[in-house]
Amino acid sequence: MNERIDKLLKQFHALFGDREARVWSAPGRTEIGGNHTDHQHGKVVAASVDMDMLAAAAANGENIVRVKSDGYDMITLTLDTLTPVAGEEGTTRALIRGVCAEAAARGYAVGGFDACVTSNVLQGSGLSSSAAFEILIGAVVNGLFCDSRLTATELAIMGQAAENKFFGKPCGLMDQMASAWGGAIAIDFADPAAPVVTPVDYDFSASGHSLCMINLHSDHADLTAEYAAIPAELGAVSAHFGKKYLREVDENEFYAAIPELRREAGDRAVLRAMHIYSDNRRVEQIVEALGANDFDRFLSLVRESGRSSWVYLQNVTVRGSSREQAAAVALALCEKVLGSRGAFRIHGGGFGGTVQAFVPDDMLETFRAQIEHVFGPGSCHVMHIRPVGFTEIELK
């Protein structure tokens, strides 16, 4: 970390002059339970991980934001416009503008700043590099212009709004919440404006299992339509009952109405709704299992969730793709190597990205070798739960 910070500060000074800069960190996240439940006002268990984004930043006294990320061109934008700009959809510029706009909407006098950003969060990996970036920019704005008054939940809501309104991706709030809060947390999104967060007190490092992320090296950039189809189809199911979100629809009424729902919303929408109901229950069961120190029960629930995502939610493969099914291959390999031990599932949004596995420590090297034989060296990452969310790093 010290080496990364030193390099980052040198880059900042080279680009922006010999000015005092402050440094912030925002972590990536892993979803432990509740796949695509958040955007239906459901329940999730998530955690921050020990991969993060760092920013060295300072106010510049202008109305201009300049952000230079490793490997990318400098982004420059004025804060004269704090509404979505046509043509900026799907860009990092839109996320920056959106976070600044959300802080300004809360009454803070947001000004210009210069920042250098570096990251070891795997982009497009399902560890949510976009959410980490949103929380990171929010942390910078919070520290420079808001007297550090914004809470973790407020920063998360700002990041989601930037992604929904400015970037154009209809994501839920889980990714941002996990990055902002830190540690393992259970979240109930019944009221997304005031989600209920409960820390999950469990030491995963003492479980005898390693948390592995399999990076499938697949890009999410062209898959927004695939993600958007999930809340759209679930919305069609909810609309049958005069509701907007599935959390508002009684499960028994849903099952009674399946004949009509098949005609109105389609079979895939019905299957996806079945997944949401069952995964919300599994979140409660996961919290209970971890609270009781029953890791075997936890592993069983993770496996159930993974099967439900593949069979019912159908976010493992991209529709119409026969040659590119990396996530399905990874899941099949996990099943073959692990057998009845451990657990594995599609991770996050799905359609590629990352597969998550809890691997018994005595099988870790064999598991890693088999995975990297297929997906390449370095594709199997051993992760650890990070106890801290967004934070300013004290420079000595």
Side-chain angles (χ1 to χ4, degrees), residues 271-319:
L271 290 166
R272 284 175 162 171
M274 289 179 177
H275 163 82
I276 298 298
Y277 284 116
S278 61
D279 237 29
N280 271 324
R281 275 193 300 277
R282 271 188 286 268
V283 166
E284 298 173 354
Q285 294 163 353
I286 282 173
V287 173
E288 291 172 0
L290 293 176
N293 199 30
D294 188 348
F295 202 72
D296 287 340
R297 174 61 174 151
F298 166 78
L299 293 174
S300 175
L301 291 164
V302 171
R303 279 181 174 254
E304 288 178 17
S305 178
R307 180 180 181 277
S308 180
S309 292
W310 195 343
V311 176
Y312 300 113
L313 185 62
Q314 300 181 38
N315 68 332
V316 170
T317 59
V318 176
R319 186 172 30 174

mmCIF file of all heavy atoms in Angstrom, residues 271-319:
data_model
loop_
_atom_site.group_PDB
_atom_site.id
_atom_site.type_symbol
_atom_site.label_atom_id
_atom_site.label_comp_id
_atom_site.label_asym_id
_atom_site.label_seq_id
_atom_site.Cartn_x
_atom_site.Cartn_y
_atom_site.Cartn_z
ATOM 1 N N LEU A 271 -39.698 -17.258 -14.180
ATOM 2 C CA LEU A 271 -38.582 -17.973 -13.564
ATOM 3 C C LEU A 271 -37.691 -17.029 -12.768
ATOM 4 O O LEU A 271 -37.228 -17.361 -11.670
ATOM 5 C CB LEU A 271 -37.768 -18.684 -14.643
ATOM 6 C CG LEU A 271 -38.451 -19.877 -15.316
ATOM 7 C CD1 LEU A 271 -37.702 -20.286 -16.576
ATOM 8 C CD2 LEU A 271 -38.559 -21.047 -14.347
ATOM 9 N N ARG A 272 -37.458 -15.858 -13.320
ATOM 10 C CA ARG A 272 -36.613 -14.890 -12.610
ATOM 11 C C ARG A 272 -37.267 -14.446 -11.308
ATOM 12 O O ARG A 272 -36.586 -14.260 -10.292
ATOM 13 C CB ARG A 272 -36.313 -13.697 -13.525
ATOM 14 C CG ARG A 272 -35.267 -14.033 -14.581
ATOM 15 C CD ARG A 272 -35.023 -12.928 -15.583
ATOM 16 N NE ARG A 272 -33.734 -13.164 -16.253
ATOM 17 C CZ ARG A 272 -33.285 -12.484 -17.303
ATOM 18 N NH1 ARG A 272 -34.017 -11.495 -17.827
ATOM 19 N NH2 ARG A 272 -32.110 -12.763 -17.825
ATOM 20 N N ALA A 273 -38.566 -14.286 -11.305
ATOM 21 C CA ALA A 273 -39.268 -13.929 -10.076
ATOM 22 C C ALA A 273 -39.155 -15.048 -9.038
ATOM 23 O O ALA A 273 -38.974 -14.781 -7.836
ATOM 24 C CB ALA A 273 -40.731 -13.624 -10.374
ATOM 25 N N MET A 274 -39.248 -16.307 -9.488
ATOM 26 C CA MET A 274 -39.071 -17.429 -8.561
ATOM 27 C C MET A 274 -37.708 -17.337 -7.872
ATOM 28 O O MET A 274 -37.584 -17.587 -6.662
ATOM 29 C CB MET A 274 -39.179 -18.755 -9.322
ATOM 30 C CG MET A 274 -40.572 -19.105 -9.809
ATOM 31 S SD MET A 274 -40.529 -20.678 -10.722
ATOM 32 C CE MET A 274 -42.276 -20.890 -11.101
ATOM 33 N N HIS A 275 -36.690 -16.987 -8.631
ATOM 34 C CA HIS A 275 -35.350 -16.851 -8.054
ATOM 35 C C HIS A 275 -35.327 -15.768 -6.985
ATOM 36 O O HIS A 275 -34.742 -15.966 -5.903
ATOM 37 C CB HIS A 275 -34.331 -16.513 -9.142
ATOM 38 C CG HIS A 275 -33.047 -15.962 -8.579
ATOM 39 N ND1 HIS A 275 -32.054 -16.764 -8.081
ATOM 40 C CD2 HIS A 275 -32.626 -14.675 -8.415
ATOM 41 C CE1 HIS A 275 -31.062 -16.010 -7.628
ATOM 42 N NE2 HIS A 275 -31.386 -14.737 -7.823
ATOM 43 N N ILE A 276 -35.921 -14.623 -7.262
ATOM 44 C CA ILE A 276 -35.877 -13.507 -6.320
ATOM 45 C C ILE A 276 -36.513 -13.900 -4.994
ATOM 46 O O ILE A 276 -35.962 -13.641 -3.912
ATOM 47 C CB ILE A 276 -36.577 -12.266 -6.901
ATOM 48 C CG1 ILE A 276 -35.862 -11.780 -8.178
ATOM 49 C CG2 ILE A 276 -36.647 -11.150 -5.864
ATOM 50 C CD1 ILE A 276 -34.433 -11.335 -7.971
ATOM 51 N N TYR A 277 -37.677 -14.541 -5.041
ATOM 52 C CA TYR A 277 -38.335 -14.958 -3.807
ATOM 53 C C TYR A 277 -37.451 -15.926 -3.004
ATOM 54 O O TYR A 277 -37.287 -15.783 -1.791
ATOM 55 C CB TYR A 277 -39.684 -15.622 -4.114
ATOM 56 C CG TYR A 277 -40.775 -14.647 -4.479
ATOM 57 C CD1 TYR A 277 -41.361 -14.663 -5.745
ATOM 58 C CD2 TYR A 277 -41.231 -13.712 -3.553
ATOM 59 C CE1 TYR A 277 -42.369 -13.771 -6.085
ATOM 60 C CE2 TYR A 277 -42.246 -12.818 -3.887
ATOM 61 C CZ TYR A 277 -42.804 -12.849 -5.149
ATOM 62 O OH TYR A 277 -43.800 -11.960 -5.470
ATOM 63 N N SER A 278 -36.880 -16.908 -3.689
ATOM 64 C CA SER A 278 -36.093 -17.912 -2.965
ATOM 65 C C SER A 278 -34.773 -17.338 -2.461
ATOM 66 O O SER A 278 -34.314 -17.682 -1.363
ATOM 67 C CB SER A 278 -35.839 -19.136 -3.855
ATOM 68 O OG SER A 278 -35.098 -18.781 -5.011
ATOM 69 N N ASP A 279 -34.150 -16.444 -3.228
ATOM 70 C CA ASP A 279 -32.858 -15.900 -2.791
ATOM 71 C C ASP A 279 -33.028 -14.925 -1.632
ATOM 72 O O ASP A 279 -32.130 -14.808 -0.788
ATOM 73 C CB ASP A 279 -32.124 -15.235 -3.957
ATOM 74 C CG ASP A 279 -30.743 -15.837 -4.179
ATOM 75 O OD1 ASP A 279 -30.562 -17.036 -3.858
ATOM 76 O OD2 ASP A 279 -29.844 -15.126 -4.659
ATOM 77 N N ASN A 280 -34.161 -14.236 -1.567
ATOM 78 C CA ASN A 280 -34.414 -13.396 -0.393
ATOM 79 C C ASN A 280 -34.481 -14.248 0.876
ATOM 80 O O ASN A 280 -33.943 -13.861 1.920
ATOM 81 C CB ASN A 280 -35.721 -12.618 -0.568
ATOM 82 C CG ASN A 280 -35.511 -11.294 -1.253
ATOM 83 O OD1 ASN A 280 -34.508 -10.617 -1.065
ATOM 84 N ND2 ASN A 280 -36.475 -10.892 -2.076
ATOM 85 N N ARG A 281 -35.125 -15.393 0.796
ATOM 86 C CA ARG A 281 -35.174 -16.294 1.951
ATOM 87 C C ARG A 281 -33.776 -16.806 2.296
ATOM 88 O O ARG A 281 -33.416 -16.931 3.470
ATOM 89 C CB ARG A 281 -36.107 -17.467 1.682
ATOM 90 C CG ARG A 281 -37.563 -17.187 1.979
ATOM 91 C CD ARG A 281 -38.373 -18.473 2.002
ATOM 92 N NE ARG A 281 -38.320 -19.165 0.721
ATOM 93 C CZ ARG A 281 -39.105 -18.875 -0.324
ATOM 94 N NH1 ARG A 281 -39.976 -17.892 -0.236
ATOM 95 N NH2 ARG A 281 -39.005 -19.559 -1.440
ATOM 96 N N ARG A 282 -33.001 -17.114 1.248
ATOM 97 C CA ARG A 282 -31.657 -17.650 1.504
ATOM 98 C C ARG A 282 -30.780 -16.629 2.230
ATOM 99 O O ARG A 282 -29.901 -17.014 3.024
ATOM 100 C CB ARG A 282 -31.010 -18.089 0.191
ATOM 101 C CG ARG A 282 -31.328 -19.536 -0.177
ATOM 102 C CD ARG A 282 -30.523 -20.001 -1.372
ATOM 103 N NE ARG A 282 -31.020 -19.407 -2.596
ATOM 104 C CZ ARG A 282 -31.943 -19.959 -3.381
ATOM 105 N NH1 ARG A 282 -32.476 -21.129 -3.037
ATOM 106 N NH2 ARG A 282 -32.338 -19.377 -4.490
ATOM 107 N N VAL A 283 -30.964 -15.345 1.956
ATOM 108 C CA VAL A 283 -30.179 -14.330 2.658
ATOM 109 C C VAL A 283 -30.409 -14.437 4.163
ATOM 110 O O VAL A 283 -29.459 -14.414 4.963
ATOM 111 C CB VAL A 283 -30.532 -12.917 2.148
ATOM 112 C CG1 VAL A 283 -29.993 -11.845 3.098
ATOM 113 C CG2 VAL A 283 -29.968 -12.704 0.754
ATOM 114 N N GLU A 284 -31.671 -14.542 4.562
ATOM 115 C CA GLU A 284 -31.984 -14.690 5.986
ATOM 116 C C GLU A 284 -31.333 -15.953 6.549
ATOM 117 O O GLU A 284 -30.786 -15.955 7.663
ATOM 118 C CB GLU A 284 -33.489 -14.735 6.184
ATOM 119 C CG GLU A 284 -34.220 -13.463 5.750
ATOM 120 C CD GLU A 284 -35.732 -13.608 5.814
ATOM 121 O OE1 GLU A 284 -36.204 -14.741 6.080
ATOM 122 O OE2 GLU A 284 -36.425 -12.611 5.612
ATOM 123 N N GLN A 285 -31.374 -17.030 5.768
ATOM 124 C CA GLN A 285 -30.815 -18.294 6.230
ATOM 125 C C GLN A 285 -29.283 -18.227 6.311
ATOM 126 O O GLN A 285 -28.673 -18.836 7.200
ATOM 127 C CB GLN A 285 -31.257 -19.425 5.298
ATOM 128 C CG GLN A 285 -32.764 -19.679 5.357
ATOM 129 C CD GLN A 285 -33.283 -20.496 4.168
ATOM 130 O OE1 GLN A 285 -32.545 -20.772 3.212
ATOM 131 N NE2 GLN A 285 -34.543 -20.889 4.226
ATOM 132 N N ILE A 286 -28.656 -17.487 5.383
ATOM 133 C CA ILE A 286 -27.202 -17.316 5.410
ATOM 134 C C ILE A 286 -26.785 -16.578 6.674
ATOM 135 O O ILE A 286 -25.820 -16.957 7.355
ATOM 136 C CB ILE A 286 -26.731 -16.572 4.145
ATOM 137 C CG1 ILE A 286 -26.705 -17.549 2.957
ATOM 138 C CG2 ILE A 286 -25.346 -15.952 4.350
ATOM 139 C CD1 ILE A 286 -26.424 -16.881 1.621
ATOM 140 N N VAL A 287 -27.492 -15.514 6.994
ATOM 141 C CA VAL A 287 -27.173 -14.756 8.213
ATOM 142 C C VAL A 287 -27.325 -15.635 9.444
ATOM 143 O O VAL A 287 -26.488 -15.622 10.355
ATOM 144 C CB VAL A 287 -28.070 -13.500 8.315
ATOM 145 C CG1 VAL A 287 -27.870 -12.807 9.656
ATOM 146 C CG2 VAL A 287 -27.767 -12.538 7.174
ATOM 147 N N GLU A 288 -28.392 -16.445 9.479
ATOM 148 C CA GLU A 288 -28.604 -17.354 10.609
ATOM 149 C C GLU A 288 -27.480 -18.397 10.693
ATOM 150 O O GLU A 288 -26.980 -18.690 11.785
ATOM 151 C CB GLU A 288 -29.949 -18.053 10.465
ATOM 152 C CG GLU A 288 -31.151 -17.140 10.646
ATOM 153 C CD GLU A 288 -32.455 -17.835 10.300
ATOM 154 O OE1 GLU A 288 -32.419 -19.027 9.914
ATOM 155 O OE2 GLU A 288 -33.517 -17.189 10.391
ATOM 156 N N ALA A 289 -27.088 -18.947 9.551
ATOM 157 C CA ALA A 289 -26.050 -19.977 9.546
ATOM 158 C C ALA A 289 -24.710 -19.415 10.029
ATOM 159 O O ALA A 289 -24.014 -20.036 10.842
ATOM 160 C CB ALA A 289 -25.896 -20.569 8.145
ATOM 161 N N LEU A 290 -24.343 -18.234 9.551
ATOM 162 C CA LEU A 290 -23.079 -17.630 9.979
ATOM 163 C C LEU A 290 -23.142 -17.250 11.460
ATOM 164 O O LEU A 290 -22.160 -17.395 12.191
ATOM 165 C CB LEU A 290 -22.753 -16.417 9.118
ATOM 166 C CG LEU A 290 -22.427 -16.723 7.643
ATOM 167 C CD1 LEU A 290 -22.219 -15.434 6.864
ATOM 168 C CD2 LEU A 290 -21.198 -17.619 7.521
ATOM 169 N N GLY A 291 -24.303 -16.764 11.893
ATOM 170 C CA GLY A 291 -24.460 -16.417 13.304
ATOM 171 C C GLY A 291 -24.330 -17.626 14.214
ATOM 172 O O GLY A 291 -23.863 -17.515 15.354
ATOM 173 N N ALA A 292 -24.728 -18.799 13.699
ATOM 174 C CA ALA A 292 -24.633 -20.041 14.468
ATOM 175 C C ALA A 292 -23.310 -20.767 14.234
ATOM 176 O O ALA A 292 -23.126 -21.896 14.719
ATOM 177 C CB ALA A 292 -25.796 -20.958 14.105
ATOM 178 N N ASN A 293 -22.417 -20.142 13.483
ATOM 179 C CA ASN A 293 -21.115 -20.737 13.151
ATOM 180 C C ASN A 293 -21.272 -22.067 12.420
ATOM 181 O O ASN A 293 -20.473 -22.990 12.583
ATOM 182 C CB ASN A 293 -20.259 -20.919 14.413
ATOM 183 C CG ASN A 293 -18.782 -21.076 14.093
ATOM 184 O OD1 ASN A 293 -18.288 -20.531 13.102
ATOM 185 N ND2 ASN A 293 -18.069 -21.829 14.918
ATOM 186 N N ASP A 294 -22.333 -22.146 11.605
ATOM 187 C CA ASP A 294 -22.611 -23.368 10.839
ATOM 188 C C ASP A 294 -22.162 -23.130 9.396
ATOM 189 O O ASP A 294 -22.979 -22.822 8.520
ATOM 190 C CB ASP A 294 -24.105 -23.695 10.918
ATOM 191 C CG ASP A 294 -24.441 -25.051 10.303
ATOM 192 O OD1 ASP A 294 -23.573 -25.643 9.624
ATOM 193 O OD2 ASP A 294 -25.585 -25.510 10.484
ATOM 194 N N PHE A 295 -20.865 -23.313 9.145
ATOM 195 C CA PHE A 295 -20.331 -23.005 7.820
ATOM 196 C C PHE A 295 -20.763 -24.021 6.783
ATOM 197 O O PHE A 295 -20.909 -23.685 5.601
ATOM 198 C CB PHE A 295 -18.804 -22.908 7.864
ATOM 199 C CG PHE A 295 -18.227 -22.106 6.731
ATOM 200 C CD1 PHE A 295 -18.372 -20.726 6.690
ATOM 201 C CD2 PHE A 295 -17.546 -22.726 5.691
ATOM 202 C CE1 PHE A 295 -17.855 -19.977 5.633
ATOM 203 C CE2 PHE A 295 -17.023 -21.985 4.641
ATOM 204 C CZ PHE A 295 -17.175 -20.606 4.614
ATOM 205 N N ASP A 296 -21.003 -25.243 7.174
ATOM 206 C CA ASP A 296 -21.493 -26.249 6.218
ATOM 207 C C ASP A 296 -22.859 -25.839 5.680
ATOM 208 O O ASP A 296 -23.132 -25.991 4.478
ATOM 209 C CB ASP A 296 -21.575 -27.624 6.881
ATOM 210 C CG ASP A 296 -20.205 -28.243 7.109
ATOM 211 O OD1 ASP A 296 -19.247 -27.823 6.439
ATOM 212 O OD2 ASP A 296 -20.095 -29.132 7.979
ATOM 213 N N ARG A 297 -23.720 -25.355 6.568
ATOM 214 C CA ARG A 297 -25.035 -24.880 6.131
ATOM 215 C C ARG A 297 -24.876 -23.676 5.212
ATOM 216 O O ARG A 297 -25.573 -23.562 4.200
ATOM 217 C CB ARG A 297 -25.883 -24.508 7.360
ATOM 218 C CG ARG A 297 -27.226 -23.857 7.054
ATOM 219 C CD ARG A 297 -28.131 -24.762 6.250
ATOM 220 N NE ARG A 297 -29.453 -24.189 6.078
ATOM 221 C CZ ARG A 297 -30.240 -24.430 5.041
ATOM 222 N NH1 ARG A 297 -29.841 -25.252 4.070
ATOM 223 N NH2 ARG A 297 -31.440 -23.881 4.964
ATOM 224 N N PHE A 298 -23.965 -22.799 5.550
ATOM 225 C CA PHE A 298 -23.679 -21.650 4.693
ATOM 226 C C PHE A 298 -23.272 -22.089 3.292
ATOM 227 O O PHE A 298 -23.780 -21.576 2.292
ATOM 228 C CB PHE A 298 -22.575 -20.793 5.320
ATOM 229 C CG PHE A 298 -21.974 -19.785 4.395
ATOM 230 C CD1 PHE A 298 -22.639 -18.594 4.103
ATOM 231 C CD2 PHE A 298 -20.743 -20.020 3.790
ATOM 232 C CE1 PHE A 298 -22.091 -17.658 3.232
ATOM 233 C CE2 PHE A 298 -20.187 -19.091 2.926
ATOM 234 C CZ PHE A 298 -20.862 -17.911 2.639
ATOM 235 N N LEU A 299 -22.365 -23.048 3.202
ATOM 236 C CA LEU A 299 -21.905 -23.525 1.897
ATOM 237 C C LEU A 299 -23.061 -24.112 1.094
ATOM 238 O O LEU A 299 -23.164 -23.891 -0.122
ATOM 239 C CB LEU A 299 -20.804 -24.568 2.075
ATOM 240 C CG LEU A 299 -19.477 -24.071 2.655
ATOM 241 C CD1 LEU A 299 -18.544 -25.243 2.915
ATOM 242 C CD2 LEU A 299 -18.809 -23.056 1.719
ATOM 243 N N SER A 300 -23.928 -24.847 1.749
ATOM 244 C CA SER A 300 -25.086 -25.428 1.072
ATOM 245 C C SER A 300 -25.976 -24.331 0.488
ATOM 246 O O SER A 300 -26.474 -24.447 -0.640
ATOM 247 C CB SER A 300 -25.872 -26.299 2.048
ATOM 248 O OG SER A 300 -27.056 -26.793 1.466
ATOM 249 N N LEU A 301 -26.170 -23.258 1.247
ATOM 250 C CA LEU A 301 -27.009 -22.155 0.773
ATOM 251 C C LEU A 301 -26.368 -21.427 -0.406
ATOM 252 O O LEU A 301 -27.056 -20.997 -1.334
ATOM 253 C CB LEU A 301 -27.273 -21.184 1.929
ATOM 254 C CG LEU A 301 -28.171 -21.731 3.038
ATOM 255 C CD1 LEU A 301 -28.052 -20.881 4.295
ATOM 256 C CD2 LEU A 301 -29.625 -21.795 2.566
ATOM 257 N N VAL A 302 -25.048 -21.284 -0.383
ATOM 258 C CA VAL A 302 -24.353 -20.650 -1.508
ATOM 259 C C VAL A 302 -24.534 -21.489 -2.771
ATOM 260 O O VAL A 302 -24.787 -20.959 -3.865
ATOM 261 C CB VAL A 302 -22.859 -20.458 -1.197
ATOM 262 C CG1 VAL A 302 -22.094 -20.001 -2.437
ATOM 263 C CG2 VAL A 302 -22.677 -19.436 -0.075
ATOM 264 N N ARG A 303 -24.423 -22.796 -2.625
ATOM 265 C CA ARG A 303 -24.635 -23.675 -3.778
ATOM 266 C C ARG A 303 -26.069 -23.549 -4.308
ATOM 267 O O ARG A 303 -26.286 -23.484 -5.524
ATOM 268 C CB ARG A 303 -24.356 -25.131 -3.395
ATOM 269 C CG ARG A 303 -22.883 -25.513 -3.386
ATOM 270 C CD ARG A 303 -22.733 -26.990 -3.022
ATOM 271 N NE ARG A 303 -21.350 -27.442 -3.143
ATOM 272 C CZ ARG A 303 -20.888 -28.211 -4.116
ATOM 273 N NH1 ARG A 303 -21.708 -28.608 -5.081
ATOM 274 N NH2 ARG A 303 -19.631 -28.592 -4.138
ATOM 275 N N GLU A 304 -27.037 -23.514 -3.400
ATOM 276 C CA GLU A 304 -28.438 -23.373 -3.821
ATOM 277 C C GLU A 304 -28.643 -22.064 -4.578
ATOM 278 O O GLU A 304 -29.334 -22.025 -5.602
ATOM 279 C CB GLU A 304 -29.350 -23.408 -2.593
ATOM 280 C CG GLU A 304 -29.496 -24.759 -1.951
ATOM 281 C CD GLU A 304 -30.380 -24.697 -0.711
ATOM 282 O OE1 GLU A 304 -31.121 -23.692 -0.564
ATOM 283 O OE2 GLU A 304 -30.333 -25.630 0.097
ATOM 284 N N SER A 305 -28.051 -21.000 -4.071
ATOM 285 C CA SER A 305 -28.190 -19.704 -4.725
ATOM 286 C C SER A 305 -27.568 -19.734 -6.118
ATOM 287 O O SER A 305 -28.131 -19.199 -7.079
ATOM 288 C CB SER A 305 -27.526 -18.612 -3.876
ATOM 289 O OG SER A 305 -27.622 -17.362 -4.512
ATOM 290 N N GLY A 306 -26.401 -20.374 -6.222
ATOM 291 C CA GLY A 306 -25.745 -20.465 -7.522
ATOM 292 C C GLY A 306 -26.572 -21.232 -8.537
ATOM 293 O O GLY A 306 -26.687 -20.836 -9.702
ATOM 294 N N ARG A 307 -27.163 -22.328 -8.097
ATOM 295 C CA ARG A 307 -28.026 -23.106 -9.008
ATOM 296 C C ARG A 307 -29.241 -22.283 -9.425
ATOM 297 O O ARG A 307 -29.647 -22.296 -10.592
ATOM 298 C CB ARG A 307 -28.475 -24.399 -8.336
ATOM 299 C CG ARG A 307 -29.372 -25.254 -9.231
ATOM 300 C CD ARG A 307 -29.824 -26.538 -8.549
ATOM 301 N NE ARG A 307 -30.659 -27.319 -9.447
ATOM 302 C CZ ARG A 307 -31.966 -27.130 -9.637
ATOM 303 N NH1 ARG A 307 -32.589 -26.135 -8.979
ATOM 304 N NH2 ARG A 307 -32.654 -27.881 -10.478
ATOM 305 N N SER A 308 -29.824 -21.557 -8.470
ATOM 306 C CA SER A 308 -30.998 -20.744 -8.777
ATOM 307 C C SER A 308 -30.660 -19.653 -9.789
ATOM 308 O O SER A 308 -31.433 -19.375 -10.707
ATOM 309 C CB SER A 308 -31.542 -20.121 -7.489
ATOM 310 O OG SER A 308 -32.674 -19.333 -7.747
ATOM 311 N N SER A 309 -29.481 -19.033 -9.636
ATOM 312 C CA SER A 309 -29.078 -17.995 -10.596
ATOM 313 C C SER A 309 -28.943 -18.566 -11.999
ATOM 314 O O SER A 309 -29.344 -17.944 -12.982
ATOM 315 C CB SER A 309 -27.759 -17.358 -10.153
ATOM 316 O OG SER A 309 -27.926 -16.609 -8.974
ATOM 317 N N TRP A 310 -28.364 -19.757 -12.086
ATOM 318 C CA TRP A 310 -28.134 -20.366 -13.397
ATOM 319 C C TRP A 310 -29.450 -20.821 -14.035
ATOM 320 O O TRP A 310 -29.733 -20.530 -15.197
ATOM 321 C CB TRP A 310 -27.180 -21.549 -13.239
ATOM 322 C CG TRP A 310 -26.579 -22.027 -14.547
ATOM 323 C CD1 TRP A 310 -27.014 -21.749 -15.804
ATOM 324 C CD2 TRP A 310 -25.421 -22.852 -14.693
ATOM 325 N NE1 TRP A 310 -26.208 -22.354 -16.741
ATOM 326 C CE2 TRP A 310 -25.221 -23.034 -16.089
ATOM 327 C CE3 TRP A 310 -24.551 -23.463 -13.808
ATOM 328 C CZ2 TRP A 310 -24.170 -23.807 -16.587
ATOM 329 C CZ3 TRP A 310 -23.507 -24.223 -14.310
ATOM 330 C CH2 TRP A 310 -23.322 -24.393 -15.681
ATOM 331 N N VAL A 311 -30.292 -21.504 -13.255
ATOM 332 C CA VAL A 311 -31.482 -22.146 -13.820
ATOM 333 C C VAL A 311 -32.664 -21.180 -13.936
ATOM 334 O O VAL A 311 -33.379 -21.178 -14.946
ATOM 335 C CB VAL A 311 -31.881 -23.368 -12.962
ATOM 336 C CG1 VAL A 311 -33.179 -23.987 -13.467
ATOM 337 C CG2 VAL A 311 -30.757 -24.409 -12.978
ATOM 338 N N TYR A 312 -32.873 -20.351 -12.920
ATOM 339 C CA TYR A 312 -34.060 -19.493 -12.878
ATOM 340 C C TYR A 312 -33.771 -18.049 -13.283
ATOM 341 O O TYR A 312 -34.443 -17.503 -14.148
ATOM 342 C CB TYR A 312 -34.687 -19.533 -11.475
ATOM 343 C CG TYR A 312 -35.120 -20.904 -11.046
ATOM 344 C CD1 TYR A 312 -34.504 -21.567 -9.998
ATOM 345 C CD2 TYR A 312 -36.156 -21.560 -11.710
ATOM 346 C CE1 TYR A 312 -34.889 -22.839 -9.608
ATOM 347 C CE2 TYR A 312 -36.564 -22.833 -11.337
ATOM 348 C CZ TYR A 312 -35.917 -23.463 -10.284
ATOM 349 O OH TYR A 312 -36.310 -24.732 -9.917
ATOM 350 N N LEU A 313 -32.767 -17.444 -12.651
ATOM 351 C CA LEU A 313 -32.432 -16.058 -13.006
ATOM 352 C C LEU A 313 -31.822 -15.977 -14.405
ATOM 353 O O LEU A 313 -32.003 -15.005 -15.120
ATOM 354 C CB LEU A 313 -31.478 -15.464 -11.970
ATOM 355 C CG LEU A 313 -31.121 -13.991 -12.130
ATOM 356 C CD1 LEU A 313 -32.366 -13.111 -12.019
ATOM 357 C CD2 LEU A 313 -30.083 -13.569 -11.093
ATOM 358 N N GLN A 314 -31.079 -16.997 -14.793
ATOM 359 C CA GLN A 314 -30.501 -17.116 -16.138
ATOM 360 C C GLN A 314 -29.560 -15.950 -16.458
ATOM 361 O O GLN A 314 -29.672 -15.291 -17.493
ATOM 362 C CB GLN A 314 -31.609 -17.219 -17.198
ATOM 363 C CG GLN A 314 -32.505 -18.431 -16.996
ATOM 364 C CD GLN A 314 -33.582 -18.560 -18.041
ATOM 365 O OE1 GLN A 314 -33.369 -18.286 -19.214
ATOM 366 N NE2 GLN A 314 -34.774 -18.990 -17.615
ATOM 367 N N ASN A 315 -28.589 -15.723 -15.556
ATOM 368 C CA ASN A 315 -27.596 -14.681 -15.787
ATOM 369 C C ASN A 315 -26.182 -15.247 -15.866
ATOM 370 O O ASN A 315 -25.211 -14.596 -15.508
ATOM 371 C CB ASN A 315 -27.665 -13.596 -14.704
ATOM 372 C CG ASN A 315 -27.231 -14.105 -13.332
ATOM 373 O OD1 ASN A 315 -27.368 -15.284 -13.023
ATOM 374 N ND2 ASN A 315 -26.726 -13.214 -12.497
ATOM 375 N N VAL A 316 -26.082 -16.473 -16.340
ATOM 376 C CA VAL A 316 -24.771 -17.098 -16.520
ATOM 377 C C VAL A 316 -24.268 -16.922 -17.950
ATOM 378 O O VAL A 316 -23.105 -16.589 -18.175
ATOM 379 C CB VAL A 316 -24.822 -18.596 -16.135
ATOM 380 C CG1 VAL A 316 -23.540 -19.313 -16.542
ATOM 381 C CG2 VAL A 316 -25.048 -18.734 -14.634
ATOM 382 N N THR A 317 -25.123 -17.149 -18.925
ATOM 383 C CA THR A 317 -24.719 -17.019 -20.325
ATOM 384 C C THR A 317 -25.518 -15.916 -21.011
ATOM 385 O O THR A 317 -26.651 -15.606 -20.620
ATOM 386 C CB THR A 317 -24.933 -18.337 -21.083
ATOM 387 O OG1 THR A 317 -26.311 -18.705 -21.008
ATOM 388 C CG2 THR A 317 -24.086 -19.448 -20.490
ATOM 389 N N VAL A 318 -24.922 -15.330 -22.021
ATOM 390 C CA VAL A 318 -25.576 -14.285 -22.812
ATOM 391 C C VAL A 318 -26.467 -14.949 -23.847
ATOM 392 O O VAL A 318 -26.057 -15.909 -24.531
ATOM 393 C CB VAL A 318 -24.533 -13.387 -23.500
ATOM 394 C CG1 VAL A 318 -25.215 -12.354 -24.404
ATOM 395 C CG2 VAL A 318 -23.665 -12.690 -22.458
ATOM 396 N N ARG A 319 -27.665 -14.458 -23.968
ATOM 397 C CA ARG A 319 -28.636 -15.028 -24.898
ATOM 398 C C ARG A 319 -28.074 -15.067 -26.318
ATOM 399 O O ARG A 319 -27.521 -14.095 -26.817
ATOM 400 C CB ARG A 319 -29.904 -14.168 -24.857
ATOM 401 C CG ARG A 319 -31.070 -14.670 -25.643
ATOM 402 C CD ARG A 319 -32.298 -13.839 -25.355
ATOM 403 N NE ARG A 319 -31.955 -12.454 -25.003
ATOM 404 C CZ ARG A 319 -32.857 -11.508 -24.819
ATOM 405 N NH1 ARG A 319 -34.138 -11.789 -24.922
ATOM 406 N NH2 ARG A 319 -32.491 -10.289 -24.515
#
